[in-house]
Amino acid sequence: MNLYHPESDFKETTEEKTKKNGFLNELPRAVSRPNTYVLLDGEWNFSHDPEDRGLRDRWYLGHTYDHKAQWPGSVENHLIEAKGLQPNTQTWNDKVVVWYEREFVLPKREEPLYCCLFQLTFGACGYETTVWLNGHLLKTIEGEEVHYGEYTSFSYELQEDMLSPVNRLTVRIADTMDADIPRGKQESHVYKRGGIWYQTYSGAVRSVWLETVERNRLRSRFGVVSIVEDQLVRFHLTTRIHDPGHYTLRLSVYERGQETGMPVATSDYQLLLEAGQKNQRVVVEVPGAKLWSPEEPNLYRLEAGLIASDGHISQIEAHFGLRKIEARGRFVYLNNSKIYLDGILYQPGTATYEEMKKHMYAMKELGCNLVRVHIAGVDPRIYNLADEIGMLLWVEVPSPHSSTKISRQNHWAELQRMLALMETHPSVIIWSLYNEDWGIQDIATNPDTRQYIIDTYHYMHINHPQFLVVDNDGWQHISLEGKLKSDLLTAHIYTPDFDRWRELLGRLAEGHMEGVAVLPLVIGDPFFYRKQVPLLVSEWGGFGFADYGGPSDSEDRTEKIRQFKRELRKHPIAGDIYTQATNIEDERNGLLDPHSGELSVPPGLLNTRNDSTD
């Protein structure tokens, strides 16, 4: 086990600055904090709890662990290693409970106790995570004794009276095949592994770290809404206060890579803050701002500081870009210019962060300007990378697999967790609420299901206007009083037959709502297309995947893709998403190697943005 020496200090992030954007961000988060931290990754003690006895027997007070496990890693792999099973063996069927434990030496810190405290953060873990420190149950900053969710980070503030020179950290993780929880394409009681459904991949999937944070601070999250016409940037920040009083919020905007000199813009805001957490929106004018786009991914660096009356400052840092995305008539506009979306479906599966980086560069090399991250959560640094290299992103809430009141509550909670940590990025332009009716199978017959989606669509428009929103991608979009509750009218069209492909694209472009995809494109009240919304073929191809037909040979597949893409551009369609980037389990339709990122087709194959037909 990797223990830290008592005399050792935290790792100084400020010693590892990059030339581009200030702080080297080795932690799985999008926003940096110029503080001190130590990773708790590495070897942990590990035990399977098949009878779920650990809580009753109070393992958090002391337990003899049977095995070791490397954190981060999945419950599934840890069980395979512990039981000596073959790779890819199914390790659990209904419910799994596992426990992890390690010790860590409390590092020395230079900051005085009255202004700073220790914070423990899990980059992602779940689906249910419970944590004890030296036998004391911890509550998240949001007050949860059990944290639910497995795609986003959560934190604990550690009380001084709980800490010792050497500390014992105990973690219980539980997951089930419950179809009411957000699962994405991981198997459940409803959808079993095989075909397009994958093995579960849960548990300790991202890093965990200990850091010092100020008692009164800005949390490591903020949102950005820019209005390109007035060069105003609306920042949404979150304060965390233990000592009520008067504070100054100071925002400074710098050119990306600028380490010294005057900021491009700066502004102070006087705040009277009570104890607890509070969201606050402020506006900064950035005169002469350069806009962000895939061709010119211009980014700015924000330093945001919360200054106490005694002058002590809490600071966070991140980059952002000014951009505007709109759906106008038949087309999508970026920064008031029409753009065609040459996209690809991306399912990262069990890929590591380093592999996902290779995938992003490879998809750029393919000629894509958009990646649809398919109902999955990824390392937040990937969103930063997309910002840097100029890749548009379409993100999605991992869906539950059943349509119930509880599944809708879980879906809403997952959406809120993701939004809180993903509002920063100019690359993220589209959000899908659902995909192909997964988790909303009764959308055509249940008014409660449709009303939830309608309400969520309106919520996104009011609170997150920087995104386009798709209600249910693929088919069965909702119409209320003839108004589509989706910014894009999307269709999933799979056929290896070119004549059928041409026919279906023609029907789509003419505004036919039936006979295009598997199910009607629109449900609810009558909807008359009349060129009032952009059309996207948001999934097509699948060549090489046995159930979809088409060629598996690389040369034949290349020619087929070219042929199908040429036909796409002959129609008034705003974009398309080829399925898909990499092979994953039974789906053998990828265009790049899942480990190396090497392309199996020619570079630029999916780039048709110069093939304008208007």
Side-chain angles (χ1 to χ4, degrees):
M1 180 177 296
N2 297 323
L3 287 178
Y4 292 86
H5 298 294
E7 69 274 14
S8 67
D9 292 332
F10 278 111
K11 185 174 184 178
E12 292 286 350
T13 63
T14 51
E15 293 178 358
E16 297 181 308
K17 292 190 174 183
T18 65
K19 293 181 180 179
K20 280 191 172 182
N21 60 342
F23 302 112
L24 174 66
N25 185 15
E26 75 168 350
L27 300 178
R29 61 183 177 190
V31 179
S32 299
R33 185 181 296 277
N35 61 351
T36 50
Y37 67 86
V38 62
L39 281 166
L40 298 182
D41 293 351
E43 187 178 82
W44 288 56
N45 295 318
F46 172 75
S47 278
H48 185 204
D49 187 5
E51 299 177 4
D52 199 7
R53 299 178 52 186
L55 284 176
R56 184 183 65 220
D57 295 346
R58 298 189 290 184
W59 286 10
Y60 50 86
L61 294 180
H63 176 67
T64 300
Y65 287 82
D66 307 317
H67 306 282
K68 305 291 185 181
Q70 288 294 317
W71 190 310
S74 71
V75 164
E76 291 75 21
N77 285 342
H78 292 161
L79 288 174
I80 286 172
E81 293 168 0
K83 297 180 179 182
L85 302 174
Q86 292 296 314
N88 299 318
T89 301
Q90 186 168 8
T91 54
W92 59 280
N93 295 307
D94 181 56
K95 180 179 180 179
V96 64
V97 180
V98 293
W99 291 70
Y100 298 82
E101 188 170 276
R102 68 157 293 163
E103 290 183 338
F104 66 90
V105 173
L106 194 67
K108 293 190 300 182
R109 57 182 176 184
E110 297 179 358
E111 301 88 347
L113 293 178
Y114 71 84
C115 73
C116 292
L117 49 81
F118 287 112
Q119 179 172 281
L120 178 71
T121 299
F122 290 76
C125 189
Y127 183 70
E128 301 177 22
T129 306
T130 313
V131 181
W132 292 263
L133 178 67
N134 299 326
H136 297 283
L137 177 65
L138 298 181
K139 292 184 180 181
T140 67
I141 291 178
E142 285 71 29
E144 308 163 302
E145 291 187 349
V146 179
H147 174 76
Y148 295 94
E150 62 180 274
Y151 303 104
T152 54
S153 64
F154 53 98
S155 299
Y156 302 86
E157 293 177 345
L158 305 184
Q159 303 301 317
E160 289 294 326
D161 57 3
M162 292 184 183
L163 292 165
S164 303
V166 178
N167 298 272
R168 179 169 48 88
L169 188 62
T170 310
V171 181
R172 176 186 182 270
I173 300 173
D175 203 355
T176 72
M177 294 286 180
D178 186 352
D180 280 339
I181 66 176
R183 309 200 62 83
K185 289 184 72 172
Q186 299 182 68
E187 65 177 317
S188 69
H189 291 311
V190 172
Y191 300 121
K192 293 299 183 180
R193 183 182 181 186
I196 66 170
W197 302 103
Y198 310 145
Q199 178 184 358
T200 56
Y201 183 75
S202 57
V205 293
R206 287 192 205 139
S207 293
V208 56
W209 63 93
L210 182 72
E211 63 184 319
T212 55
V213 296
E214 293 79 5
R215 286 171 49 83
N216 309 297
R217 65 189 182 279
L218 295 169
R219 296 203 66 186
S220 298
R221 57 182 66 173
F222 71 87
V224 178
V225 178
S226 58
I227 307 298
V228 300
E229 288 84 0
D230 60 14
Q231 299 181 330
L232 294 178
V233 186
R234 283 80 173 167
F235 291 107
H236 184 190
L237 296 109
T238 303
T239 57
R240 172 71 175 170
I241 300 297
H242 285 268
D243 306 305
H246 291 274
Y247 291 84
T248 300
L249 174 62
R250 177 168 297 162
L251 301 187
S252 299
V253 176
Y254 295 87
E255 295 277 1
R256 183 167 172 77
Q258 178 187 352
E259 296 298 324
T260 59
M262 294 295 294
V264 174
T266 186
S267 193
D268 286 1
Y269 309 85
Q270 304 304 317
L271 301 174
L272 177 61
L273 298 174
E274 299 179 352
Q277 188 161 295
K278 184 180 185 298
N279 297 330
Q280 179 67 49
R281 284 213 171 188
V282 294
V283 178
V284 176
E285 183 178 6
V286 183
K290 303 172 186 176
L291 302 185
W292 184 96
S293 69
E295 295 73 27
E296 296 184 47
N298 297 305
L299 292 170
Y300 292 89
R301 181 169 61 89
L302 174 72
E303 290 184 359
L306 187 67
I307 307 171
S309 56
D310 63 359
H312 193 82
I313 184 170
S314 157
Q315 185 171 300
I316 58 174
E317 177 180 313
H319 67 238
F320 70 94
L322 282 75
R323 66 105 179 103
K324 177 184 180 183
I325 194 74
E326 290 180 291
R328 292 191 214 157
R330 292 188 293 119
F331 299 106
V332 174
Y333 286 77
L334 177 66
N335 301 332
N336 296 318
S337 296
K338 186 170 64 177
I339 183 173
Y340 186 85
L341 301 176
D342 278 314
I344 191 166
L345 192 79
Y346 178 47
Q347 304 187 87
T350 60
T352 66
Y353 169 58
E354 292 300 324
E355 288 171 336
M356 284 189 282
K357 285 200 300 184
K358 294 176 183 177
H359 298 165
M360 289 296 292
Y361 283 110
M363 291 184 284
K364 186 84 172 177
E365 189 179 1
L366 271 171
C368 299
N369 63 352
L370 180 137
V371 170
R372 182 176 163 215
V373 183
H374 193 34
I375 54 176
V378 299
D379 189 305
R381 289 171 292 184
I382 292 300
Y383 305 122
N384 277 352
L385 179 61
D387 294 341
E388 293 167 7
I389 68 175
M391 181 66 83
L392 299 168
L393 296 180
W394 178 338
V395 299
E396 305 174 318
V397 185
S399 60
H401 291 177
S402 63
S403 184
T404 65
K405 182 178 180 180
I406 293 175
S407 79
R408 291 190 286 274
Q409 291 171 347
N410 290 335
H411 180 273
W412 174 260
E414 195 66 62
L415 173 64
Q416 295 304 309
R417 286 189 289 264
M418 294 179 72
L419 283 168
L421 299 172
M422 290 174 57
E423 289 186 287
T424 310
H425 306 285
S427 58
V428 178
I429 61 167
I430 304 171
W431 278 77
S432 281
L433 303 180
Y434 287 95
N435 178 78
E436 291 187 354
D437 308 343
W438 299 340
I440 48 169
Q441 294 88 338
D442 58 357
I443 186 173
T445 58
N446 189 339
D448 291 339
T449 299
R450 290 199 299 276
Q451 191 61 52
Y452 168 71
I453 297 171
I454 291 170
D455 291 344
T456 305
Y457 172 78
H458 290 162
Y459 166 85
M460 292 290 288
H461 266 238
I462 293 170
N463 292 281
H464 304 282
Q466 68 269 46
F467 306 123
L468 299 179
V469 181
V470 176
D471 56 348
N472 176 39
D473 185 52
W475 49 69
Q476 298 210 112
H477 301 277
I478 298 171
S479 171
L480 179 64
E481 299 177 351
K483 301 173 185 176
L484 195 68
K485 298 304 173 181
S486 179
D487 295 324
L488 307 171
L489 184 56
T490 67
H492 293 178
I493 304 177
Y494 286 105
T495 176
D497 181 80
F498 181 74
D499 290 336
R500 178 63 173 160
W501 175 247
R502 178 188 293 153
E503 176 191 353
L504 292 173
L505 292 180
R507 289 184 59 80
L508 177 66
E510 290 169 2
H512 291 277
M513 296 295 108
E514 298 192 17
V516 176
V518 172
L519 293 170
L521 289 189
V522 178
I523 58 170
D525 295 330
F527 175 75
F528 302 98
Y529 167 57
R530 303 294 197 273
K531 303 178 181 179
Q532 64 175 299
V533 64
L535 299 173
L536 268 79
V537 181
S538 52
E539 286 187 29
W540 70 277
F543 303 146
F545 183 35
D547 289 355
Y548 296 166
S552 56
D553 177 81
S554 179
E555 290 185 9
D556 289 344
R557 187 186 305 181
T558 296
E559 183 52 38
K560 195 88 167 181
I561 291 171
R562 284 200 180 108
Q563 184 184 28
F564 275 49
K565 284 282 278 187
R566 281 196 296 265
E567 185 62 30
L568 264 166
R569 296 313 308 273
K570 294 178 182 178
H571 299 270
I573 291 171
D576 68 88
I577 311 294
Y578 180 80
T579 305
Q580 62 183 335
T582 66
N583 294 339
I584 179 169
E585 298 201 19
D586 292 344
E587 293 187 311
R588 317 301 296 175
N589 52 349
L591 302 182
L592 57 101
D593 186 272
H595 301 297
S596 69
E598 182 179 353
L599 298 183
S600 61
V601 294
L605 178 63
L606 296 182
N607 185 354
T608 63
R609 293 185 291 283
N610 294 326
D611 302 339
S612 176
T613 59
D614 299 313

